[in-house]
Amino acid sequence: MKKWSLMVLTLLVVFGLTACGGGNNAAQNNADAQNNAANTGSAVKGSISFAYWGAQTEADAIKRVINDFQTNHPEIKVENQWIQQDYLTKLQTMIAGGTVPDVILISGGDLPGFANAFQELQVNASAFSSPSLVEAMSIDGKVYAAPFIIKPKVMAINVDLFEKNNIPLPSKTEPMTTELFDEIAKKITSGEGSSKIYGSEPLWLGNWIYAFGGRYYNDDLSQSELNTPEAIAAGEYIVSTKQAGIVPSDSEKQGQNMMNWYLGGRIGMFTDFGPWYIPQMADTEGFNWDLVPFPGNGGSKEVDGLALSKDSKNPEAAKTFIEYLTQNVEAQKIIGGDKSAYGVPVLANAAEAFEQIYPDKNLKAFVLASENQHNQEAQKRTNEINNEMKAIDDLTPIGIGTHDVKEIFPQVADKINQILRQ
């Protein structure tokens, strides 16, 4: 008898839900969301805090994805902590004072200095667009942050200057050689004084060392490779562009925004173009631009990830938040799928939306770079190493010095190696 009563009750409930569901899909969807929250909320709920850096456009995108998360997970409240200046210093202060947020945005380059404050995460590398993304968030085989956004470098070109000088447009998928870059830069450079047009903005060693086949460290990051022929060749080429006048001089670039020069038609090839410039391009009218791969397959990609504090009071809720922001396709589209995007999504399906932000522009160059470019090379003792690296700008013509690159690079490598051996 009890079994029969239970069957009748079950049928009545089913018929009742069916009748109600046909009348109001929106109400049903809302009820489903509440039910999901109730089902998961019994184990995972409460409040978490999330610290991140970024310009206004970056912060706006992150706030939107936080709102999206809370719509889908009303059982978890997120306190967002947008740190606009001195992010790493303030993060160190929070860690020392025991006030570190539950979830922390961290770049692969900065991860070694903070990994001791983070919990190890279990991350499925195959879920992301490239295995290198998880590698960027790992130290000694342990993953300390889940990949969240990719910031590779590509080259922006002024199409009108190419056509004016009868220069064929570069391949949209294959990087031009460094020799071709030099040739084109010299053809574009013309004029003098305040109206002079330059082939490129001043070149940055951090991009060009890879274009010449060099790198900062060996495979296990135990030794500097600034003393290699490839690294030295990159440094010498940067000096040669200044001497040839195909990039603005030190005095000309002082206090100037090179992106504004590019948008103003004074630079033909902007080699340090990161995805954070995409929101700026939305306001550009009457400027004929496009994107191509970085010359020589140079440049390096910054991978930013979400880390979980060891001191989190609500680690399960924090993990739910991290998983949603890094694994949900719609969440990834929010931060990298419209004209406010500031990076390439880490999921292949969301990356397709990124490419369509400007359908007539080659944003595919960013996606290819996110798959193929070198990860940032990171060391735990970054501050000490950066102090030694200052000698390159201070002593060689890459910066304001006069000493030969061949002399200074090996000296800097030796000092870095002393730090690495300590």
Side-chain angles (χ1 to χ4, degrees):
M1 186 65 181
K2 290 181 178 179
K3 289 183 179 179
W4 174 251
S5 300
L6 181 59
M7 290 175 63
V8 172
L9 179 60
T10 301
L11 287 171
L12 289 173
V13 171
V14 170
F15 285 132
L17 287 176
T18 303
C20 294
N24 192 337
N25 288 334
Q28 184 63 48
N29 290 339
N30 184 55
D32 288 344
Q34 292 178 350
N35 288 336
N36 289 337
N39 290 337
T40 58
S42 60
V44 181
K45 60 183 179 180
S47 299
I48 60 172
S49 52
F50 173 36
Y52 56 93
W53 76 89
Q56 184 67 57
T57 54
E58 295 172 295
D60 289 344
I62 289 177
K63 288 175 183 176
R64 286 200 303 275
V65 79
I66 292 174
N67 291 338
D68 179 69
F69 170 80
Q70 293 194 138
T71 298
N72 288 277
H73 288 274
E75 75 282 6
I76 300 175
K77 302 301 179 184
V78 181
E79 174 197 347
N80 71 79
Q81 298 183 13
W82 177 27
I83 301 176
Q84 301 180 50
Q85 294 180 331
D86 302 322
Y87 180 78
L88 296 179
T89 300
K90 291 178 180 177
L91 188 57
Q92 288 173 330
T93 301
M94 289 177 176
I95 292 172
T99 59
V100 63
D102 298 279
V103 180
I104 303 100
L105 181 65
I106 195 75
S107 74
D110 296 320
L111 181 62
F114 290 87
N116 287 340
F118 301 153
Q119 294 186 32
E120 182 181 353
L121 299 178
Q122 300 301 316
V123 175
N124 179 10
S126 65
F128 300 97
S129 59
S130 171
S132 66
L133 304 183
V134 175
E135 292 173 7
M137 300 285 98
S138 303
I139 299 174
D140 297 330
K142 296 181 179 180
V143 182
Y144 288 97
F148 174 60
I149 196 77
I150 318 165
K151 300 176 181 177
K153 299 285 185 68
V154 299
M155 184 167 73
I157 62 171
N158 182 323
V159 175
D160 289 338
L161 286 179
F162 270 73
E163 294 177 346
K164 177 182 177 181
N165 290 280
N166 298 313
I167 301 170
L169 295 181
S171 168
K172 293 189 175 185
T173 56
E174 297 297 323
M176 68 171 66
T177 64
T178 55
E179 292 82 5
L180 181 57
F181 171 85
D182 187 68
E183 179 184 329
I184 292 174
K186 288 175 179 175
K187 286 182 179 179
I188 291 176
T189 301
S190 63
E192 58 184 20
S194 60
S195 62
K196 182 176 179 178
I197 295 173
Y198 295 90
S200 172
E201 93 285 11
L203 307 184
W204 181 49
L205 182 64
N207 289 327
W208 283 85
I209 191 171
Y210 302 107
F212 280 79
R215 54 185 180 174
Y216 284 101
Y217 303 101
N218 61 357
D219 287 338
D220 64 3
L221 303 177
S222 64
Q223 189 170 345
S224 171
E225 294 202 350
L226 276 175
N227 55 357
T228 62
E230 294 82 3
I232 291 171
E236 290 179 327
Y237 178 65
I238 293 173
V239 173
S240 75
T241 62
K242 296 174 68 175
Q243 294 171 339
I246 60 176
V247 302
S249 67
D250 293 327
S251 59
E252 288 170 324
K253 72 177 183 181
Q254 186 69 32
Q256 299 293 311
N257 184 315
M258 290 293 104
M259 172 52 71
N260 289 342
W261 280 37
Y262 168 68
L263 296 176
R266 294 194 63 191
I267 289 175
M269 298 179 287
F270 192 89
T271 68
D272 197 38
F273 193 94
W276 49 87
Y277 286 121
I278 290 175
Q280 185 174 350
M281 304 309 288
D283 300 325
T284 301
E285 296 182 3
F287 180 69
N288 194 5
W289 62 280
D290 208 349
L291 304 175
V292 299
F294 198 101
N297 199 29
S300 65
K301 65 186 177 194
E302 174 185 325
V303 181
D304 296 340
L306 302 183
L308 173 60
S309 168
K310 281 185 176 179
D311 296 330
S312 173
K313 301 295 190 297
N314 200 349
E316 294 307 314
K319 288 177 183 178
T320 300
F321 177 73
I322 290 172
E323 181 177 357
Y324 187 89
L325 266 63
T326 62
Q327 293 292 290
N328 183 282
V329 173
E330 295 307 314
Q332 281 283 298
K333 286 180 180 179
I334 290 173
I335 61 166
D338 59 30
K339 290 182 179 180
S340 65
Y342 72 97
V344 180
V346 296
L347 303 181
N349 291 342
E352 294 172 3
F354 174 87
E355 293 180 40
Q356 295 304 311
I357 294 173
Y358 292 102
D360 60 334
K361 306 299 181 184
N362 184 35
L363 268 65
K364 180 73 173 180
F366 271 122
V367 177
L368 293 174
S370 71
E371 296 170 354
N372 301 320
Q373 253 175 6
H374 296 265
N375 286 331
Q376 285 179 311
E377 297 181 74
Q379 292 285 356
K380 186 173 182 179
R381 304 177 69 176
T382 302
N383 290 338
E384 296 170 75
I385 291 172
N386 285 343
N387 286 334
E388 298 299 339
M389 289 288 293
K390 290 177 182 178
I392 291 176
D393 282 331
D394 293 342
L395 300 179
T396 78
I398 289 176
I400 59 175
T402 58
H403 291 267
D404 196 323
V405 166
K406 285 192 179 81
E407 173 192 353
I408 300 302
F409 272 37
Q411 293 178 7
V412 174
D414 287 342
K415 291 182 178 180
I416 291 175
N417 286 335
Q418 290 176 21
I419 294 172
L420 296 179
R421 286 193 293 266
Q422 293 176 9

